[in-house]
Amino acid sequence: MYQPSAEELKSVEEWFADYDALAEQGSIEQLADLAVFPMNVATDTPGGYASVRQWTRAEYVEAMKESMGGGTAGLDLRSTRTPRFLTPNLVVVETEATMTVEGQEHRMHYVDLLVRAENGWAFQTMVQGGWGHGWPSAKRG
């Protein structure tokens, strides 16, 4: 198994610090600059099965505008991230997060695949339950 260096771990932490700052500001286009497209998205459908899509940059921007609105500032967002390096260029990051919306605490659990691109880390795959409202269920084969 690949064991990342302290510097490699720090580079992922710094990438997420940049991501979180942009998310707080609601800088959706700049968040898209941190991704590789098409982006894989895996989620589930209410009362159904898993659903998988590939988003273009435009689809990502639209979805994030819808879900983030003007940003995450004021949501008291707290995240604990656990990076698991597969190689020096591929890292799966598990996140457990809590945010407060209108006085109610909401917990989230999701995974991102970061890939090392020529100009730094980029996220390429998002896996989180609950996004698949109206999406078709995944089918094998």
Side-chain angles (χ1 to χ4, degrees), residues 2-46:
Y2 182 75
Q3 294 298 318
S5 68
E7 184 177 305
E8 288 170 316
L9 288 167
K10 184 178 178 189
S11 72
V12 169
E13 290 171 11
E14 289 171 348
W15 184 90
F16 272 106
D18 291 344
Y19 179 92
D20 289 344
L22 291 169
E24 189 170 296
Q25 298 164 19
S27 300
I28 307 299
E29 290 290 339
Q30 289 81 2
L31 288 173
D33 290 342
L34 297 177
V36 171
F37 296 97
M39 176 186 291
N40 295 315
V41 182
T43 189
D44 55 5
T45 60

Side-chain angles (χ1 to χ4, degrees), residues 8 12 24 27-28 41 63 78 82 90 105 118 122-123 126 129 139:
E8 288 170 316
V12 169
E24 189 170 296
S27 300
I28 307 299
V41 182
R78 298 175 310 279
T82 305
L90 301 170
E105 194 172 88
E118 290 180 11
F123 64 105
M126 299 183 345
K139 300 208 182 329

Side-chain angles (χ1 to χ4, degrees), residues 102-119:
E102 297 176 2
Q104 289 203 305
E105 194 172 88
H106 300 273
R107 295 183 187 277
M108 299 177 291
H109 187 215
Y110 56 93
V111 175
D112 295 301
L113 171 65
L114 300 185
V115 298
R116 188 185 307 269
E118 290 180 11
N119 55 347

